[in-house]
Amino acid sequence: MATLSTKPNRQPTSPIRLPAIDHQRGQEASHSHSHSVEHLWKQNLDRIHDARPSFCRYSVAFSPPLALVDRESTPSTRSPLRLPSANNNMALRPPSKNTIRFRCFWKTTVIAEVLKNRGWTETESELDWDFFWSDVGWMYEFFDHIHLADHQRFNHFRNYYELTRKDLLIKNLKRMKKNLEREGQVVEAGKYNFFPQTYALPAEYGLFVEEFKRTSPNQNLTKLPKGSRSLQEVGVWIMKPVGKARGRGIFLFTRLNQISEWKKDHRWKVENPQVENYIVQRYIDNPYLIGGKKFDLRIYVVVLSYNPLKAYVYRSGFARFTIAHFTIKKEDIVNNLVHLTNFSIQKHAPTFKSKTGTKWSLHSLKMHMISKHGEQDVNGLFHNIHMLILRSLLAVQNVIIQDKHCFELYGYDILVDDSLKPWLLEVNASPSLAADTPVDHELKYGMLDDVLTLVDMEHKLPNQSFNQVGGFDLLIDQSAPPGSKPPQASHLIGCYNDRLKNLKQLKKASQNAG
Ligand code: ADP
């Protein structure tokens, strides 16, 4: 009943060995990845048993994530909150046997539709719900002041932003790499090479300038006559505000004085705590192009628990294309329609067609790429994406506060370059659940329905871990008993999504189990 005032129980880091990759593009060695993940979870199991996560609510003073509410757009239909005072923690009544009571902030999106169609009952009650699909703003304000009953489930982890804020993501990835190096796991440390070189500004401005001067000696080339040559020779960087989303505030540059001018405009001083934080990142100037256009991938991942880590990745997703052809010429560097794949940017293009949009299903993309490069290379790419996601979760596993009430749906944004290397651009805590087209609706509806099946409020999944639930494939399950069936192949992202067939099989298994 009482909120505990205790510090998070940090897990000791233990050696993590991931599968060896000996292929030019980082593909797995001849032994299957499944074995390696099994190996990984076996290794982690001992340590998990030694250091059981504490499932209590923490009353730790968190530093507020910058511009949090702006970052994860607030739903328009958000109702006013009337919560008890911080000291007045509420014990909640147990779930009704007949129906699951849900609360949802995102009333006009696909999630509201899915929740209703599931036969659950909507409630506007502040706290008397079984399941709450909230925005991160609500959680940030109130989560520490309430006590949840055992059965209640909530769609964010308390400090989710360790993975989803651009600067913290990079900080955690860099730290993981360093820890692995320190522990002598040099090969595994080398695998943390899937994020572009990045500096947090203003804190790391000095380091950035040093690197910029070291690697961009050909600054004068930008002064050549208009349109005469590519900027690849001088090196392009991209500036991104950490507290914004949907491409807002992003710009590309090639010269240091472009930043100096920008700094003046933003009254930008290291010692100014109000300053808007940015990251500056090496621009991937050789994106893989289809029809001459750049795209990035949106992939959905659900984390059911951080400690032990249990996560699934969705087979279907989409590629978001630019409308303009890609060029890296000087005169186009300010053209966001060429460089930013965000739908919210592209929909303003004069040639944008709302019926067709700018998206392509992951499955179509994968088929297209296989027709060009063959199955082996493309499976290698999707395997590397799978491993990138797994490594990013391992990097924050001991940072994110485990709470049995919480789960989270993430939207991963991944760019593929022309050597078929995937790059992690960012992870979204509130991926858009609005549908732009009927195809988009079908994808999101199925994916969200499968999230709810995984969270299993109805207790329909027999008490065991499944390698596939609907369109979700198991990424990792550190709670699986030793010797249990390892996750399936690691290149299933983008494969045919047989979710309905799988759900039928699960239903049968559930009936057989009693
Ligand atoms: P936002 O949260 O505003 O969407 P992102 O980091 O996802 O910010 O960047 C927006 C878009 O900019 C991406 O979808 C991608 O098209 C492009 N982009 C971002 N970072 C890079 C990069 N390092 N190299 C190439 N393109 C990038």
Side-chain angles (χ1 to χ4, degrees):
M1 155 96 182
T3 300
L4 297 176
S5 202
T6 173
K7 289 214 159 158
N9 198 2
R10 297 275 183 254
Q11 302 286 320
T13 42
S14 77
I16 288 165
R17 269 178 282 284
L18 284 171
I21 287 178
D22 64 355
H23 190 277
Q24 208 190 1
R25 285 210 185 100
Q27 287 176 30
E28 211 71 30
S30 55
H31 56 277
S32 76
H33 158 64
S34 324
H35 276 117
S36 314
V37 172
E38 185 187 31
H39 182 59
L40 167 73
W41 87 44
K42 271 187 194 154
Q43 276 196 322
N44 278 280
L45 214 76
D46 297 337
R47 124 181 119 89
I48 289 155
H49 287 150
D50 289 341
R52 278 240 161 263
S54 93
F55 289 148
C56 55
R57 177 89 45 256
Y58 303 110
S59 294
V60 178
F62 285 89
S63 57
L66 278 157
L68 188 71
V69 178
D70 183 26
R71 169 82 190 83
E72 314 287 2
S73 61
T74 311
S76 54
T77 47
R78 183 168 166 169
S79 58
L81 288 155
R82 299 173 306 282
L83 271 179
S85 72
N87 300 330
N88 192 7
N89 299 308
M90 290 182 71
L92 298 168
R93 70 174 162 93
S96 147
K97 287 214 170 82
N98 303 324
T99 179
I100 291 161
R101 294 156 300 151
F102 77 86
R103 188 173 176 207
C104 179
F105 270 157
W106 309 87
K107 304 237 185 267
T108 55
T109 63
V110 185
I111 182 63
E113 209 183 321
V114 173
L115 285 163
K116 279 183 200 146
N117 289 350
R118 199 114 180 149
W120 299 2
T121 312
E122 185 159 16
T123 173
E124 294 301 328
S125 166
E126 301 296 0
L127 293 169
D128 203 5
W129 37 261
D130 304 317
F131 181 95
F132 188 7
W133 197 287
S134 166
D135 71 338
V136 293
W138 186 92
M139 188 190 60
Y140 179 59
E141 269 178 88
F142 300 108
F143 198 69
D144 287 342
H145 307 305
I146 57 172
H147 177 86
L148 297 179
D150 267 5
H151 72 281
Q152 287 181 293
R153 300 302 296 268
F154 185 79
N155 70 320
H156 294 290
F157 283 89
R158 177 61 187 85
N159 56 343
Y160 68 93
Y161 44 81
E162 292 285 347
L163 182 67
T164 60
R165 212 177 78 177
K166 293 179 176 75
D167 53 342
L168 297 181
L169 167 70
I170 298 293
K171 188 186 90 187
N172 285 316
L173 292 172
K174 283 183 182 174
R175 199 202 32 233
M176 182 73 173
K177 192 175 162 81
K178 258 204 191 127
N179 285 346
L180 288 165
E181 279 164 358
R182 209 172 297 136
E183 288 164 7
Q185 298 195 56
V186 185
V187 176
E188 177 54 21
K191 309 273 169 57
Y192 279 78
N193 63 352
F194 51 78
F195 52 99
Q197 192 176 15
T198 305
Y199 297 91
L201 301 183
E204 295 179 333
Y205 183 68
L207 283 176
F208 162 66
V209 171
E210 228 172 80
E211 176 62 12
F212 186 95
K213 287 185 174 160
R214 195 180 66 79
T215 56
S216 304
N218 292 334
Q219 286 279 296
N220 290 338
L221 286 178
T222 55
K223 295 189 181 132
L224 288 169
K226 214 176 153 192
S228 60
R229 65 193 304 166
S230 146
L231 289 177
Q232 271 155 332
E233 290 160 74
V234 288
V236 184
W237 294 79
I238 184 166
M239 283 282 279
K240 306 195 266 188
V242 302
K244 291 202 176 103
R246 286 169 275 146
R248 285 177 299 159
I250 296 183
F251 64 94
L252 276 61
F253 67 96
T254 53
R255 279 176 292 138
L256 218 41
N257 63 9
Q258 290 167 302
I259 291 289
S260 318
E261 283 157 27
W262 171 85
K263 263 172 70 182
K264 270 185 240 150
D265 288 351
H266 284 68
R267 294 193 189 83
W268 199 55
K269 290 193 190 106
V270 178
E271 62 276 16
N272 178 3
Q274 298 306 322
V275 75
E276 188 174 15
N277 287 33
Y278 273 71
I279 57 165
V280 60
Q281 189 165 77
R282 218 171 251 293
Y283 186 69
I284 308 299
D285 58 14
N286 60 332
Y288 187 95
L289 304 177
I290 292 182
K293 292 168 186 176
K294 174 179 173 177
F295 62 89
D296 71 353
L297 308 179
R298 164 56 55 89
I299 292 169
Y300 296 102
V301 174
V302 164
V303 175
L304 296 174
S305 157
Y306 267 100
N307 234 324
L309 185 58
K310 184 168 183 184
Y312 284 80
V313 59
Y314 203 61
R315 277 186 196 192
S316 305
F318 49 85
R320 299 178 299 191
F321 282 81
T322 57
I323 283 181
H325 282 78
F326 184 77
T327 98
I328 192 77
K329 289 200 179 131
K330 186 181 166 191
E331 61 270 29
D332 291 319
I333 199 166
V334 290
N335 187 352
N336 284 348
L337 293 173
V338 171
H339 296 287
L340 309 190
T341 50
N342 304 75
F343 179 74
S344 39
I345 302 270
Q346 297 297 327
K347 71 180 178 192
H348 297 300
T351 50
F352 176 77
K353 292 192 186 87
S354 60
K355 268 196 189 143
T356 47
T358 57
K359 292 177 185 170
W360 226 25
S361 77
L362 266 189
H363 185 60
S364 309
L365 178 97
K366 197 171 190 180
M367 292 297 106
H368 173 87
M369 291 180 89
I370 287 175
S371 74
K372 297 242 158 196
H373 305 277
E375 217 169 310
Q376 198 186 349
D377 281 2
V378 178
N379 281 344
L381 164 66
F382 281 87
H383 161 77
N384 288 340
I385 292 175
H386 176 107
M387 295 305 286
L388 170 165
I389 294 169
L390 177 54
R391 289 193 170 100
S392 69
L393 294 177
L394 289 169
V396 295
Q397 176 179 22
N398 292 328
V399 179
I400 292 195
I401 298 168
Q402 167 59 16
D403 187 323
K404 68 174 178 182
H405 301 101
C406 303
F407 68 94
E408 193 132 15
L409 170 70
Y410 297 109
Y412 272 71
D413 289 348
I414 291 166
L415 188 82
V416 180
D417 74 18
D418 61 10
S419 68
L420 294 191
K421 177 180 164 67
W423 294 91
L424 177 58
L425 294 185
E426 80 159 333
V427 185
N428 292 278
S430 299
S432 166
L433 302 180
D436 311 317
T437 61
V439 176
D440 209 27
H441 183 271
E442 192 186 333
L443 163 72
K444 286 175 182 164
Y445 191 99
M447 185 270 294
L448 290 166
D449 203 33
D450 292 348
V451 171
L452 299 188
T453 304
L454 270 174
V455 174
D456 198 23
M457 294 296 294
E458 296 115 333
H459 302 290
K460 282 193 172 160
L461 287 183
N463 196 15
Q464 54 176 294
S465 192
F466 287 94
N467 278 342
Q468 187 184 348
V469 173
F472 278 103
D473 293 300
L474 186 64
L475 184 67
I476 183 166
D477 180 7
Q478 291 178 332
S479 65
S484 48
K485 245 172 101 188
Q488 297 186 54
S490 58
H491 55 258
L492 292 172
I493 302 169
C495 282
Y496 173 68
N497 189 345
D498 58 351
R499 61 177 290 272
L500 293 178
K501 185 175 154 209
N502 173 268
L503 291 174
K504 263 190 197 161
Q505 287 166 352
L506 287 180
K507 199 173 167 189
K508 249 194 195 161
S510 160
Q511 283 161 353
N512 291 343

